[in-house]
Amino acid sequence: MIELLNIFSFSLFLSLFFYLPFFKKNVSNKNIFLDNNDLKVISFLILINLLLILKLLNFNITQITNIFYSIFFIFVIYFLTNFKKFLFEKNIYFYFIVNLIVLFILSIQVSNNLTLYWDAQKLWLPKAIVLYNNGSISDLQNSFYSHYSFLGSLSWAFFWKISSFEYEYFGRMFFLALYCFGLLNFLSLINLDRNLKTISFLLLVIITYDYWHFRGTQEILIFSFLLILSKYLFNLILENKSSKFNLSIILLFLNLIIWTKNEGILLSLIISLIIFIFLKENIRFKLIFFSLIIFLIFLRFAIFKLYGLDLDLSQDFNFSNIITIFINNFKTSNIYIILKYVIYSTVKFPHIVLSLFFALLIIFDRKLFKKIIFLYVYLFLSIFLIFFIYLSSPQKLEFMVSTGSLRLLFEFSAPYLLFILFYFKEKIKI
C-alpha cells in the first residue's frame, strides 16, 4: 500500500512537471503560433537541457536536484500568484488528470515487472548509478561502453534522486511520463474536442505501449523526442509556420537526441537534411541551421574528450574501413537477411503497420503526396540507415540484425505516425 502511494505521489509530481502551466505568454507576432502545448514543451526543453548543461559543467546530481527544487518552487509560486489567469483553462486540468491516471496505471505495471534488458543491466543502469551517487562525467570512463551517450542514464539518475525513493524504477517513470506527454502533444496537431482527443490518446497508448520499451533501454526516449519534434517539423515544412520558433524547438530536441544515443547523431543529420531540402527559406538561413547542428555534434565529441571518455561511436564498427566493409557486405544474401528482420520488426509494431498503410493510401492521392513528400524522404532515409548500419559492421550480421533491428526501427518510427494524422487532417478536415 505504501509503495502504491509512493507511485501515485511521484506520478502526480511528474504530471505537474509536464502539465503545470508555469507561465502564460501572449504572443503579439502574428507569425508565431503558441498554444498551451507549446508553452509546456518550451518549459520541458529548458529544464532538460539545463539538466544536461549543469552536468556538463560538472555539477553533481545532489546539487542539480537542489537547483531544480528552487526553480520548481519559483514556478509553483508564480502559478499560485497568477491562479486566476489559469482558472478557466479547463482543458489543461482535464488533460493533466487524464495523464495522471494513465501514468499511474502504467507505472504500477512497470513496478510489478522489474526485468531489465541486457543493455540496461550492463550499460545504462551502471552509468545511472554512478551519476546517482554524485559521480562526475569523468567517472563514466570506467563504465562499460564509455563511448555511449549518457543523457538517458543522467535523466534516470536525476528523477530517481528527485523522487527520494530507493527503487530505481522511479527514475524510469520519467520515461513513461515523457512518452505519455509526447502522445498527447502530438495530437495537438489536429482539432479534436477533448473527449475525442482523450479517446485518440488512449488508442495511441494501446497500439504503441509495451513494457518492452521501458526495460531501461533508451529507444523510448528517442521515440518520444522525435514524436514531439514531429509536430514542429510538420508546422515548419507543411504549414510554413514561424521558421525561427519551430527551428529553435527542433534544435533543442536534436541536442537531446544527440546526447541520448550515438545513432541520435545520425538521426539529427537526417532531420537536418530534410529541413535543408524542404524548408522554404533562403540558402544562407538553412546553412546557419545546419552549421549549428554540426557544432552541437562536434561539441559532444569535444566534451567526451575533455572528460576522458572514449570517442568511438561504436566498438562494433571499424570506421577507418567502413566503406570497404559496406561494399564487401553489399550482397543479395545480406540484404535479404536485413530485409527479413525489418519486415518482421515492422509487423511487431501496430503503429508502424498502420502508418505504412496510410502512407500507401496517400501515394494514390497525388495532391496529398506532393504535400507530405518530406515524410517519405524521412521514411526512406531511416530505413536506409538501418541497412547501412548493419552492412557497415564487420560483426556477424544475422546476430546483430536479429538483436537490434526491433529497437532501431521502433526509435526511428515516431514521425511515421504523421502519415495517419495527415490523412485524417486532410480528408476529414480536423
Side-chain angles (χ1 to χ4, degrees):
M1 187 63 182
I2 293 176
E3 191 170 354
L4 275 178
L5 288 174
N6 291 340
I7 292 171
F8 179 79
S9 65
F10 200 54
S11 297
L12 179 62
F13 169 81
L14 288 170
S15 297
L16 289 172
F17 177 82
F18 280 101
Y19 285 92
L20 187 65
F22 293 130
F23 61 92
K24 190 176 181 68
K25 181 177 180 180
N26 295 318
V27 180
S28 57
N29 188 336
K30 65 179 180 180
N31 294 317
I32 298 179
F33 301 87
L34 280 183
D35 59 23
N36 286 316
N37 292 290
D38 295 323
L39 296 177
K40 293 193 285 285
V41 168
I42 293 169
S43 296
F44 163 76
L45 273 175
I46 291 172
L47 290 170
I48 298 301
N49 275 280
L50 179 62
L51 166 65
L52 177 60
I53 291 168
L54 289 173
K55 191 62 205 174
L56 296 181
L57 292 175
N58 227 14
F59 285 77
N60 64 45
I61 285 293
T62 299
Q63 292 169 329
I64 296 173
T65 301
N66 291 335
I67 292 170
F68 177 83
Y69 278 137
S70 300
I71 294 171
F72 193 75
F73 178 75
I74 292 169
F75 281 164
V76 170
I77 294 298
Y78 175 79
F79 171 71
L80 293 175
T81 55
N82 293 272
F83 184 75
K84 290 183 179 179
K85 290 183 180 180
F86 305 105
L87 189 60
F88 300 106
E89 303 266 357
K90 295 181 180 179
N91 285 342
I92 290 178
Y93 304 108
F94 177 81
Y95 294 130
F96 166 79
I97 293 170
V98 169
N99 179 84
L100 173 60
I101 294 171
V102 173
L103 177 58
F104 177 56
I105 293 171
L106 295 183
S107 297
I108 291 173
Q109 204 251 346
V110 168
S111 70
N112 284 322
N113 188 349
L114 298 179
T115 304
L116 294 177
Y117 191 69
W118 184 91
D119 282 12
Q121 295 179 44
K122 301 296 182 180
L123 310 180
W124 308 116
L125 181 57
K127 288 179 171 61
I129 291 173
V130 169
L131 298 172
Y132 177 83
N133 290 312
N134 290 326
S136 66
I137 295 175
S138 58
D139 291 329
L140 296 179
Q141 62 185 289
N142 300 316
S143 64
F144 196 38
Y145 279 43
S146 67
H147 60 285
Y148 274 20
S149 297
F150 55 80
L151 179 61
S153 294
L154 175 60
S155 59
W156 190 344
F158 173 71
F159 285 95
W160 180 9
K161 176 71 73 173
I162 216 165
S163 73
S164 300
F165 301 124
E166 62 179 304
Y167 301 113
E168 59 75 23
Y169 71 81
F170 282 97
R172 284 188 287 133
M173 281 176 62
F174 166 71
F175 298 2
L176 279 168
L178 175 62
Y179 159 77
C180 291
F181 176 73
L183 291 177
L184 265 174
N185 184 73
F186 179 76
L187 290 171
S188 66
L189 273 171
I190 50 180
N191 295 317
L192 297 172
D193 65 55
R194 68 185 193 180
N195 292 327
L196 283 175
K197 187 173 180 179
T198 302
I199 293 170
S200 300
F201 167 63
L202 294 176
L203 286 174
L204 279 177
V205 171
I206 289 170
I207 66 172
T208 58
Y209 175 79
D210 193 317
Y211 175 73
W212 185 84
H213 304 311
F214 298 94
R215 297 174 299 166
T217 53
Q218 311 297 290
E219 289 77 27
I220 191 62
L221 293 177
I222 298 287
F223 176 88
S224 301
F225 290 149
L226 281 175
L227 189 63
I228 304 172
L229 180 152
S230 295
K231 171 186 172 181
Y232 298 96
L233 190 64
F234 185 92
N235 285 339
L236 183 70
I237 295 176
L238 194 63
E239 302 290 335
N240 197 27
K241 291 181 179 178
S242 181
S243 294
K244 291 181 180 179
F245 170 73
N246 285 292
L247 279 174
S248 298
I249 296 293
I250 290 170
L251 186 69
L252 289 172
F253 270 114
L254 291 180
N255 184 52
L256 297 180
I257 288 170
I258 288 168
W259 282 96
T260 300
K261 290 195 73 181
N262 288 358
E263 58 262 32
I265 295 172
L266 299 176
L267 264 175
S268 68
L269 291 174
I270 287 176
I271 298 293
S272 301
L273 180 62
I274 289 171
I275 290 172
F276 190 86
I277 294 170
F278 292 100
L279 181 62
K280 295 175 183 177
E281 287 284 353
N282 61 64
I283 191 72
R284 180 174 174 274
F285 185 88
K286 293 191 284 189
L287 282 172
I288 291 173
F289 176 78
F290 197 78
S291 298
L292 286 173
I293 296 298
I294 299 299
F295 170 75
L296 290 176
I297 292 171
F298 275 105
L299 182 63
R300 183 266 190 198
F301 283 107
I303 291 172
F304 264 54
K305 185 176 182 179
L306 175 67
Y307 286 108
L309 302 181
D310 194 342
L311 296 180
D312 284 345
L313 280 176
S314 175
Q315 295 177 355
D316 294 321
F317 294 84
N318 181 356
F319 289 99
S320 61
N321 295 312
I322 195 167
I323 301 302
T324 302
I325 295 169
F326 177 82
I327 293 171
N328 291 337
N329 283 340
F330 195 79
K331 301 173 183 176
T332 304
S333 57
N334 287 339
I335 292 173
Y336 169 76
I337 290 171
I338 299 172
L339 183 62
K340 177 180 70 175
Y341 282 103
V342 166
I343 294 172
Y344 168 75
S345 301
T346 298
V347 299
K348 288 281 288 184
F349 300 118
H351 73 281
I352 298 181
V353 174
L354 281 172
S355 297
L356 295 179
F357 171 75
F358 282 97
L360 188 61
L361 288 181
I362 292 170
I363 287 176
F364 293 106
D365 189 321
R366 187 176 178 183
K367 184 179 178 182
L368 294 187
F369 176 74
K370 287 176 68 177
K371 281 186 177 182
I372 203 168
I373 193 169
F374 77 92
L375 194 53
Y376 290 92
V377 174
Y378 173 81
L379 173 63
F380 169 78
L381 289 176
S382 60
I383 299 298
F384 173 79
L385 180 58
I386 294 174
F387 277 82
F388 181 79
I389 287 172
Y390 291 120
L391 290 175
S392 300
S393 173
Q395 308 299 325
K396 188 176 179 182
L397 186 135
E398 183 151 12
F399 173 77
M400 287 191 67
V401 181
S402 64
T403 56
S405 59
L406 270 170
R407 289 180 290 146
L408 277 177
L409 191 63
F410 173 76
E411 68 181 332
F412 296 168
S413 68
Y416 302 169
L417 287 167
L418 283 174
F419 285 119
I420 304 173
L421 184 143
F422 174 74
Y423 184 85
F424 282 106
K425 189 178 180 73
E426 292 293 318
K427 290 293 185 180
I428 307 179
K429 303 299 180 183
I430 55 177

